[in-house]
Amino acid sequence: MKLRGTLGGMNLLLEPGDTAGSVSQALAPRTELLGASVTLEIQGDTDPGALETALSAIRAAGGTPGRVRAPRVTVTGPGGEEGSARTVILPHGVRAGFRGEYRGSVVILGDVNPGAEVVAGGDVIVMGALRGVVHAGHGGNADAIVWARPIASAQIRIGDAVARAPEGSSLSTMRKLEGPSDAELARLQGGVIVIEPHR
Protein backbone atom coordinates (compact mmCIF):
# COMPACT_ATOMS: atom_id res chain seq x y z
CA MET A 1 0.00 0.00 0.00
CA LYS A 2 1.23 3.49 -0.87
CA LEU A 3 -0.31 6.84 0.14
CA ARG A 4 0.81 10.03 -1.55
CA GLY A 5 -0.44 13.59 -1.90
CA THR A 6 -1.66 14.98 -5.22
CA LEU A 7 -2.97 18.37 -6.34
CA GLY A 8 -6.57 17.18 -5.89
CA GLY A 9 -6.10 15.48 -2.50
CA MET A 10 -4.61 12.08 -1.73
CA ASN A 11 -3.89 8.99 -3.80
CA LEU A 12 -4.04 5.54 -2.14
CA LEU A 13 -2.55 2.62 -4.09
CA LEU A 14 -3.59 -0.91 -3.07
CA GLU A 15 -1.17 -3.61 -4.16
CA PRO A 16 -1.70 -7.38 -4.64
CA GLY A 17 -0.12 -8.33 -1.28
CA ASP A 18 -2.31 -5.95 0.77
CA THR A 19 -4.85 -7.43 3.17
CA ALA A 20 -7.56 -5.86 5.32
CA GLY A 21 -5.26 -6.13 8.35
CA SER A 22 -2.19 -4.62 6.67
CA VAL A 23 -4.19 -1.71 5.22
CA SER A 24 -5.85 -1.01 8.58
CA GLN A 25 -2.48 -1.05 10.36
CA ALA A 26 -0.82 1.20 7.76
CA LEU A 27 -3.66 3.76 7.73
CA ALA A 28 -4.18 3.98 11.51
CA PRO A 29 -1.38 6.54 12.13
CA ARG A 30 -2.30 8.51 8.99
CA THR A 31 -6.01 9.24 9.53
CA GLU A 32 -5.48 13.02 9.35
CA LEU A 33 -4.34 12.60 5.72
CA LEU A 34 -7.56 10.80 4.76
CA GLY A 35 -9.86 13.75 5.53
CA ALA A 36 -9.71 14.96 1.92
CA SER A 37 -10.78 13.58 -1.42
CA VAL A 38 -8.94 10.27 -1.84
CA THR A 39 -8.48 8.52 -5.17
CA LEU A 40 -8.08 4.76 -4.81
CA GLU A 41 -5.94 2.85 -7.29
CA ILE A 42 -5.96 -0.93 -7.48
CA GLN A 43 -2.86 -2.65 -8.80
CA GLY A 44 -3.39 -6.18 -10.05
CA ASP A 45 -5.48 -8.64 -8.05
CA THR A 46 -6.46 -6.90 -4.82
CA ASP A 47 -8.10 -8.48 -1.77
CA PRO A 48 -11.68 -7.13 -1.59
CA GLY A 49 -11.27 -6.85 2.20
CA ALA A 50 -8.34 -4.45 1.67
CA LEU A 51 -10.50 -2.23 -0.57
CA GLU A 52 -13.38 -2.31 1.91
CA THR A 53 -11.03 -1.41 4.80
CA ALA A 54 -9.56 1.51 2.83
CA LEU A 55 -13.02 2.86 1.96
CA SER A 56 -14.15 2.55 5.61
CA ALA A 57 -11.00 4.31 6.87
CA ILE A 58 -11.51 7.21 4.44
CA ARG A 59 -15.14 7.67 5.48
CA ALA A 60 -14.29 7.37 9.20
CA ALA A 61 -11.68 10.13 8.82
CA GLY A 62 -14.27 12.44 7.23
CA GLY A 63 -12.84 12.10 3.74
CA THR A 64 -14.58 11.15 0.53
CA PRO A 65 -13.51 8.45 -1.91
CA GLY A 66 -13.00 10.43 -5.13
CA ARG A 67 -12.58 7.72 -7.72
CA VAL A 68 -11.59 4.08 -7.82
CA ARG A 69 -9.19 3.48 -10.68
CA ALA A 70 -7.93 0.12 -11.77
CA PRO A 71 -6.00 -0.99 -14.79
CA ARG A 72 -7.43 -3.95 -16.64
CA VAL A 73 -5.26 -6.88 -15.71
CA THR A 74 -4.43 -9.63 -18.14
CA VAL A 75 -4.33 -13.04 -16.51
CA THR A 76 -2.77 -15.74 -18.63
CA GLY A 77 -4.05 -19.20 -17.87
CA PRO A 78 -2.41 -22.53 -18.58
CA GLY A 79 -3.74 -22.43 -22.14
CA GLY A 80 -1.62 -19.41 -23.05
CA GLU A 81 -3.29 -16.66 -25.08
CA GLU A 82 -6.45 -18.63 -25.66
CA GLY A 83 -6.95 -19.04 -21.91
CA SER A 84 -6.25 -15.39 -21.16
CA ALA A 85 -8.90 -13.27 -19.48
CA ARG A 86 -9.17 -9.81 -18.00
CA THR A 87 -10.43 -8.59 -14.67
CA VAL A 88 -13.12 -6.09 -15.58
CA ILE A 89 -14.19 -3.33 -13.20
CA LEU A 90 -17.65 -1.82 -13.57
CA PRO A 91 -17.59 1.61 -11.88
CA HIS A 92 -21.31 1.47 -11.04
CA GLY A 93 -24.07 -0.87 -9.93
CA VAL A 94 -26.21 -2.83 -12.39
CA ARG A 95 -30.00 -2.72 -12.77
CA ALA A 96 -32.74 -5.14 -13.75
CA GLY A 97 -32.38 -6.30 -17.35
CA PHE A 98 -28.57 -6.07 -17.34
CA ARG A 99 -26.70 -9.19 -18.43
CA GLY A 100 -22.92 -9.18 -18.48
CA GLU A 101 -20.63 -12.05 -19.48
CA TYR A 102 -16.91 -11.90 -18.68
CA ARG A 103 -14.15 -14.40 -19.47
CA GLY A 104 -12.22 -13.47 -16.32
CA SER A 105 -13.18 -11.95 -12.98
CA VAL A 106 -15.46 -8.92 -12.53
CA VAL A 107 -15.54 -6.27 -9.79
CA ILE A 108 -18.76 -4.24 -9.52
CA LEU A 109 -18.47 -0.98 -7.57
CA GLY A 110 -22.14 -0.85 -6.58
CA ASP A 111 -25.19 -3.10 -6.17
CA VAL A 112 -26.38 -5.92 -8.41
CA ASN A 113 -30.14 -5.39 -8.37
CA PRO A 114 -32.89 -8.02 -8.80
CA GLY A 115 -33.35 -8.90 -12.45
CA ALA A 116 -29.66 -8.37 -13.32
CA GLU A 117 -27.41 -11.28 -14.28
CA VAL A 118 -23.61 -11.46 -14.14
CA VAL A 119 -21.65 -14.43 -15.53
CA ALA A 120 -17.87 -14.63 -15.08
CA GLY A 121 -15.21 -17.23 -15.75
CA GLY A 122 -13.46 -16.09 -12.56
CA ASP A 123 -14.56 -14.37 -9.34
CA VAL A 124 -17.50 -12.00 -8.92
CA ILE A 125 -16.82 -9.21 -6.40
CA VAL A 126 -19.70 -6.84 -5.59
CA MET A 127 -18.88 -3.83 -3.40
CA GLY A 128 -22.60 -3.37 -2.64
CA ALA A 129 -25.56 -5.71 -2.15
CA LEU A 130 -25.95 -8.72 -4.42
CA ARG A 131 -29.65 -9.29 -5.18
CA GLY A 132 -29.40 -10.38 -8.81
CA VAL A 133 -28.25 -13.71 -10.25
CA VAL A 134 -24.52 -14.42 -10.52
CA HIS A 135 -22.48 -17.28 -11.91
CA ALA A 136 -18.82 -17.27 -10.89
CA GLY A 137 -16.44 -19.84 -12.33
CA HIS A 138 -18.51 -20.29 -15.50
CA GLY A 139 -16.96 -23.14 -17.46
CA GLY A 140 -16.22 -25.27 -14.39
CA ASN A 141 -13.78 -23.12 -12.34
CA ALA A 142 -14.46 -24.58 -8.87
CA ASP A 143 -11.96 -22.20 -7.20
CA ALA A 144 -13.98 -19.08 -8.05
CA ILE A 145 -15.70 -17.07 -5.31
CA VAL A 146 -18.61 -14.65 -4.95
CA TRP A 147 -18.10 -11.76 -2.51
CA ALA A 148 -20.70 -9.08 -1.69
CA ARG A 149 -22.08 -6.88 1.09
CA PRO A 150 -24.36 -8.89 1.62
CA ILE A 151 -25.22 -11.86 -0.61
CA ALA A 152 -29.02 -11.67 -0.87
CA SER A 153 -29.54 -13.29 -4.25
CA ALA A 154 -32.30 -15.71 -5.21
CA GLN A 155 -29.67 -17.82 -6.97
CA ILE A 156 -25.90 -17.99 -7.23
CA ARG A 157 -23.74 -20.44 -9.13
CA ILE A 158 -20.11 -21.33 -8.68
CA GLY A 159 -18.59 -23.69 -11.23
CA ASP A 160 -21.22 -26.38 -11.80
CA ALA A 161 -22.95 -25.94 -8.41
CA VAL A 162 -26.15 -23.94 -7.82
CA ALA A 163 -27.52 -22.44 -4.58
CA ARG A 164 -31.07 -21.10 -4.40
CA ALA A 165 -32.87 -19.08 -1.73
CA PRO A 166 -35.18 -21.24 0.43
CA GLU A 167 -38.72 -21.87 -0.84
CA GLY A 168 -41.17 -19.17 0.19
CA SER A 169 -38.50 -16.52 0.72
CA SER A 170 -38.88 -13.34 -1.27
CA LEU A 171 -36.45 -10.56 -2.02
CA SER A 172 -39.34 -8.12 -1.56
CA THR A 173 -39.57 -9.09 2.13
CA MET A 174 -35.85 -8.61 2.66
CA ARG A 175 -35.07 -5.88 5.17
CA LYS A 176 -34.06 -2.55 3.71
CA LEU A 177 -30.30 -2.22 3.86
CA GLU A 178 -29.27 0.89 5.74
CA GLY A 179 -25.62 1.83 5.97
CA PRO A 180 -22.77 -0.52 5.21
CA SER A 181 -23.61 -4.22 5.53
CA ASP A 182 -21.37 -7.08 6.53
CA ALA A 183 -19.45 -8.74 3.74
CA GLU A 184 -20.18 -12.35 2.83
CA LEU A 185 -18.13 -14.84 0.86
CA ALA A 186 -19.53 -17.77 -1.14
CA ARG A 187 -17.26 -20.60 -2.27
CA LEU A 188 -17.39 -24.29 -3.06
CA GLN A 189 -16.68 -26.79 -0.30
CA GLY A 190 -17.07 -30.44 -1.19
CA GLY A 191 -19.16 -29.57 -4.24
CA VAL A 192 -21.61 -27.47 -2.19
CA ILE A 193 -21.82 -23.67 -2.15
CA VAL A 194 -21.12 -22.32 1.35
CA ILE A 195 -21.87 -18.69 2.26
CA GLU A 196 -20.10 -17.29 5.31
CA PRO A 197 -19.31 -13.89 6.86
CA HIS A 198 -16.06 -12.40 5.58
CA ARG A 199 -13.94 -9.92 7.52
Side-chain angles (χ1 to χ4, degrees):
M1 187 207 84
K2 294 176 183 162
L3 183 66
R4 64 182 186 272
T6 64
L7 289 175
M10 298 300 293
N11 191 325
L12 176 63
L13 173 67
L14 295 176
E15 300 171 299
D18 291 333
T19 64
S22 69
V23 169
S24 179
Q25 186 176 7
L27 291 179
R30 301 175 177 161
T31 54
E32 70 281 352
L33 299 175
L34 300 176
S37 175
V38 181
T39 297
L40 285 157
E41 286 189 51
I42 301 170
Q43 184 181 66
D45 290 333
T46 300
D47 178 11
L51 179 58
E52 181 182 6
T53 299
L55 288 168
S56 297
I58 293 165
R59 291 186 184 108
T64 54
R67 289 179 300 175
V68 177
R69 292 192 308 214
R72 291 185 172 205
V73 179
T74 300
V75 181
T76 304
E81 271 309 304
E82 227 171 79
S84 72
R86 294 178 177 264
T87 296
V88 176
I89 298 181
L90 299 181
H92 49 73
V94 294
R95 298 176 184 225
F98 173 88
R99 177 177 165 82
E101 292 190 35
Y102 308 93
R103 292 181 63 199
S105 297
V106 62
V107 178
I108 300 166
L109 303 179
D111 296 336
V112 174
N113 289 305
E117 186 175 356
V118 177
V119 178
D123 302 333
V124 177
I125 309 294
V126 182
M127 296 310 297
L130 168 57
R131 295 189 188 98
V133 174
V134 298
H135 185 172
H138 181 264
N141 178 2
D143 294 327
I145 63 161
V146 175
W147 186 97
R149 297 174 36 179
I151 296 174
S153 177
Q155 176 182 293
I156 63 171
R157 294 174 180 236
I158 299 176
D160 297 326
V162 180
R164 291 185 175 86
E167 285 296 320
S169 70
S170 168
L171 293 177
S172 61
T173 61
M174 195 178 106
R175 63 181 167 79
K176 185 171 171 86
L177 299 173
E178 295 175 4
S181 298
D182 291 336
E184 293 180 306
L185 173 72
R187 58 193 165 96
L188 274 179
Q189 280 185 346
V192 177
I193 296 175
V194 176
I195 300 174
E196 54 196 9
H198 186 254
R199 301 197 182 278

